[in-house]
Amino acid sequence: MTNIASPVSGTLVSKAPARRDIGIKRRYAAERRFQAYGMAAIAFGLIFLVILLSTVIRQGYTAFQQTAISLPIEFTEKTIDPGNKRATDPSVLIAANYGALLRDAIVKQLNINASSRPDVRDASAMLSKGAPIQLRDMVVADPSIIGKTINVTVLADANVDSANKGQIDLSVDEKNRKVNDKQVGWMNELKSSGALFKQFNTGLFVNGNSSRPEAAGLGVALIGSLYLMAIVLVLSLPIGVAASIYLEEFAPKNRLTDLIEVNINNLAAVPSIVYGLLGLSVFINFMGMPRSASLVGGLVLTLMTLPTIIIATRAALRAVPPSIRAAALGLGASKMQMVFHHVLPLAMPGILTGTIIGLAHALGETAPLLLIGMVAFVANAPATPLDPSTALPVQVYMWANEAERAFVERTSGAIIVLLLFLIVMNLGAILLRRRFERRW
């Protein structure tokens, strides 16, 4: 300790308190810097999260609405069944020219000269190419409408839908846009008469994949994702919990169990595409399972999810106090009774939380599903897990590769649906944790 003389009294004064004060100030300054760095990191992450979510929502919320046109369709027998053959040959109703009915209806609605082919062609192009199929299904389901005039709401073409939603700049020259000036005028005319309007896009949740943006939907992807999650839950939960109970409660502590634990921890960090390669070589090439099937996708995602569930379950079992085990054994319970009657029920909240988080992780995976062929174009909903199917993240990937403008909002809309599923699953995990959690 260094002492110095006071210039006033001549007494000795120690430098130690001054140095101690400087050290304390430095520590406080370092603490404030660390807090500032942490808050800056959180703010940085939140800013990018807000940018991401706002971009997705801004581009995707319009996908939940679809432009439709209401037209009085005259189901003339001359066009549908000119020879009155449907009694002996029902296929006549399927092969009829329903496009002509739509063309005549839109021409009459807009008071267009039927002899002007360019105008008739442009007017017909405002309707979805899937509208004739809608009329065909109506006639096949109820042939009694032949000869009647019925107001039918059909989807507008994707370009008309984009123009009606303001996604096409109508101020540029018509040579540089998909909708010409005549069609814009007709749109305004139909809108003013109430024949052109927006409606909730139920097809986004019901329809399968389609090359026509206005008719494309997530129906097949939603069913495929449900099959995937059901398979993963049924397989990964019992297998993961059983493996965790054995490793944590019954397995002897030796080199073999240490090696197993290390490998489980390593498998949790393996890239998901590796599991896709494993599923392709084992389940499809070796075992001959059907390609693009939900069953194969569920098995691949089960392998990927198992390490996560095992780690979470072991942590939940380890969190149960040893006194619970000792009390159960002291009252005469066997080790099996102690585990399944006392330890496992207390660890169940943590197990369920880990399982839900693992399922949410599996729901958002794309790479392994691409490798097993779930990227195929599937228009019909799968009836069983063995039928060709796709999943929500794969559908997002497929729509993102489409060149048409209308698929941009479909892609963002599908991302919103996927995010809602993930938010609900993670929120469920948090609620379960808080509802059943016990502090020891």
Side-chain angles (χ1 to χ4, degrees), residues 256-301:
L256 178 60
T257 55
D258 291 341
L259 180 63
I260 293 174
E261 292 180 8
V262 170
N263 279 281
I264 290 174
N265 293 328
N266 289 335
L267 286 174
V270 170
S272 59
I273 195 169
V274 176
Y275 290 99
L277 292 171
L278 177 65
L280 177 64
S281 60
V282 175
F283 298 129
I284 295 178
N285 293 339
F286 179 72
M287 300 179 65
M289 290 186 176
R291 196 178 183 90
S292 304
S294 299
L295 177 61
V296 180
L299 291 173
V300 172
L301 295 180

Side-chain angles (χ1 to χ4, degrees), residues 67-71 73 102 127-128 131 134-135 152-156:
T67 301
I69 301 176
S70 179
L71 295 173
I73 305 295
L102 289 165
L127 303 177
S128 171
Q134 179 182 345
L135 299 187
V152 180
T153 299
V154 298
L155 295 180

Side-chain angles (χ1 to χ4, degrees), residues 15 66 107 134 138 205 225 251 290 299 330 357 377 399 402 421:
K15 288 184 178 179
Q66 185 69 35
V107 167
Q134 179 182 345
M138 290 176 60
F205 303 94
S225 295
L299 291 173
I357 293 175
F377 186 95
W399 283 352
E402 296 288 346
F421 272 101

Side-chain angles (χ1 to χ4, degrees), residues 120-143:
V120 173
R121 183 177 62 251
D122 288 343
S124 300
M126 295 178 64
L127 303 177
S128 171
K129 293 180 176 61
I133 300 175
Q134 179 182 345
L135 299 187
R136 182 200 65 189
D137 294 341
M138 290 176 60
V139 173
V140 171
D142 184 14

Side-chain angles (χ1 to χ4, degrees), residues 9-91:
S9 60
T11 59
L12 296 179
V13 179
S14 175
K15 288 184 178 179
R19 291 179 179 177
R20 187 163 55 248
D21 292 341
I22 294 174
I24 292 175
K25 291 180 179 179
R26 287 178 179 175
R27 289 198 297 270
Y28 286 163
E31 183 179 349
R32 288 193 296 268
R33 285 196 302 270
F34 181 78
Q35 291 178 353
Y37 295 154
M39 294 176 63
I42 294 174
F44 192 72
L46 287 177
I47 289 172
F48 276 94
L49 179 61
V50 170
I51 293 174
L52 172 64
L53 292 179
S54 61
T55 302
V56 171
I57 294 174
R58 186 179 69 254
Q59 294 182 350
Y61 80 96
T62 54
F64 298 96
Q65 286 187 320
Q66 185 69 35
T67 301
I69 301 176
S70 179
L71 295 173
I73 305 295
E74 186 179 355
F75 292 89
T76 58
E77 188 172 5
K78 179 180 178 181
T79 303
I80 299 175
D81 186 16
N84 197 16
K85 300 177 181 179
R86 63 179 183 273
T88 58
D89 187 8
S91 63

